[in-house]
């Protein structure tokens, strides 16, 4: 099955304007923008036929083309990354799976996307798939610390016995009153902001109105659940890696630390 990765990136982020062009520094002092690191993560995935950056901003287009990325310009009216990917899929038809690798997720390991695509291929009842990562105590405590400080540290997911999603939230769900050690497994799953869509579901998405749950949580994947679509949660293995998205300016130092750990490991 042919696979396209689209990397949606917009300049006018509410929480962090200009985020795709923020520079992240390696331990040796090398700086690369967030969008370049996300593109490099996409290019490392095996079995992908094409990778494009999807944006409505000429500053991002210029930066992406300078490091060799293919860019597809999309409408400024896109309300989220999924709608932007739907425009890309319409402009580049013929792919059997379209992957949305969000431009703020440069730490996404290649095998997360490879496992995601494999999961969607194996479950014909699913219309899209998304990875989930079981939190260890270190990750869970980071989420809880962020929420106590009024920051969104990540999204969590709950799913049923067939691994089809029940809900996604920016709160930490399910509730657990336990305190976990850093290396201890927890019952909380971090939703990794990557999606693999079947083209028909992706094409339908922009025509659906934003529902109350998507409005409240600010989570684009809830529109699929609110419209009765099946979302497969694919559990992925971190293999000792930490994963974090760049949501707030405070996350820059955290991601740079994780990049340094990856290079040492």
């Amino acid at each position: 099955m042919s696979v396209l990765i689209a990397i949606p990136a917009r300049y006018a982020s509410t929480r962090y304007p200009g985020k795709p062009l923020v520079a992240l520094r390696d331990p040796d002092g090398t700086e690369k923008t967030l969008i370049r690191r996300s593109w490099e993560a996409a290019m490392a995935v095996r079995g992908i036929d094409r990778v494009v950056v999807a944006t409505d901003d000429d500053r991002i287009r210029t930066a992406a083309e300078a490091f060799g990325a293919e860019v597809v310009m999309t409408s400024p009216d896109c309300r989220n990354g999924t709608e932007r990917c739907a425009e890309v899929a319409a402009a580049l038809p013929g792919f059997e799976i379209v992957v949305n690798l969000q431009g703020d997720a440069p730490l996404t390991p290649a095998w997360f996307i490879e496992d995601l695509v494999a999961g969607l291929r194996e479950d014909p009842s699913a219309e899209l798939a998304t990875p989930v990562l079981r939190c260890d105590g270190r990750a869970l405590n980071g989420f809880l610390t962020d929420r106590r400080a009024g920051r969104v540290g990540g999204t969590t997911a709950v799913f049923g016995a067939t691994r089809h999603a029940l809900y996604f939230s920016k709160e930490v769900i399910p509730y657990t009153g336990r305190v976990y050690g850093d290396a201890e497994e927890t019952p909380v799953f971090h939703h990794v902001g990557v999606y693999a869509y079947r083209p028909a579901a992706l094409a339908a998405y922009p025509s659906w109105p934003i529902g109350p749950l998507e409005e409240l949580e600010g989570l684009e994947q809830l529109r699929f659940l609110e419209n009765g679509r099946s979302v497969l949660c694919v559990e992925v293995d971190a293999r000792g890696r930490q994963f974090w998205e760049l949501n707030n300016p405070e996350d820059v130092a955290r991601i740079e630390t994780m990049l340094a750990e990856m290079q040492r490991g």
Side-chain angles (χ1 to χ4, degrees):
M1 301 176 78
S2 55
V3 181
L4 166 71
I5 295 181
I7 307 172
R10 66 190 183 102
Y11 193 90
S13 169
T14 302
R15 280 184 285 169
Y16 198 169
K19 181 170 64 171
L21 302 183
V22 168
L24 296 172
R25 187 185 298 269
D26 286 327
D28 65 2
T30 301
E31 289 188 340
K32 295 180 183 178
T33 60
L34 179 63
I35 188 62
R36 179 170 183 171
R37 291 186 185 275
S38 298
W39 176 79
E40 289 178 352
M43 295 296 289
V45 181
R46 294 175 299 178
I48 300 301
D49 297 282
R50 195 168 180 179
V51 175
V52 301
V53 171
T55 188
D56 60 1
D57 191 277
D58 285 333
R59 289 163 291 189
I60 295 173
R61 177 181 187 168
T62 298
E65 289 179 340
F67 59 72
E70 179 183 359
V71 177
V72 174
M73 297 301 290
T74 54
S75 167
D77 297 328
C78 292
R79 293 172 289 185
N80 57 42
T82 298
E83 291 193 1
R84 206 170 297 283
C85 287
E87 285 199 6
V88 172
L92 303 175
F95 291 94
E96 296 167 280
I97 293 176
V98 179
V99 174
N100 172 353
L101 174 62
Q102 300 187 75
D104 58 5
L107 298 175
T108 306
W111 65 86
F112 279 22
I113 300 174
E114 293 161 6
D115 290 351
L116 180 65
V117 170
L120 188 60
R121 285 172 170 160
E122 292 166 7
D123 186 347
S125 68
E127 295 178 89
L128 69 148
T130 192
V132 294
L133 180 65
R134 185 183 291 273
C135 291
D136 59 16
R138 177 184 177 187
L140 175 57
N141 292 332
F143 282 2
L144 294 172
T145 296
D146 278 338
R147 294 306 296 131
R148 285 192 289 266
R151 298 187 298 268
V152 176
T155 298
T156 57
V158 291
F159 46 85
T162 62
R163 297 280 170 168
H164 285 214
L166 300 174
Y167 196 62
F168 299 90
S169 182
K170 288 179 178 176
E171 291 293 346
V172 181
I173 58 172
Y175 168 78
T176 172
R178 276 195 53 192
V179 176
Y180 293 87
D182 280 356
E184 192 174 0
E185 282 193 348
T186 80
V188 176
F189 283 86
H190 179 192
H191 170 242
V192 180
V194 184
Y195 306 93
Y197 315 96
R198 299 196 193 280
L202 182 58
Y205 180 91
S207 67
W208 302 328
I210 295 176
L213 297 178
E214 181 184 358
E215 182 74 33
L216 287 167
E217 293 271 11
L219 295 174
E220 63 203 85
Q221 68 270 32
L222 289 175
R223 199 182 309 179
F224 288 101
L225 294 183
E226 290 188 89
N227 284 276
R229 302 304 178 109
S230 297
V231 181
L232 176 68
C233 292
V234 178
E235 185 175 354
V236 292
D237 183 356
R239 302 184 192 175
R241 289 260 295 267
Q242 291 291 311
F243 175 86
W244 207 265
E245 297 169 359
L246 202 158
N247 293 305
N248 309 286
E250 295 89 348
D251 293 328
V252 171
R254 177 180 282 167
I255 289 180
E256 287 179 338
T257 297
M258 292 178 180
L259 287 168
E261 290 175 355
M262 286 167 52
Q263 292 183 20
R264 288 197 300 269

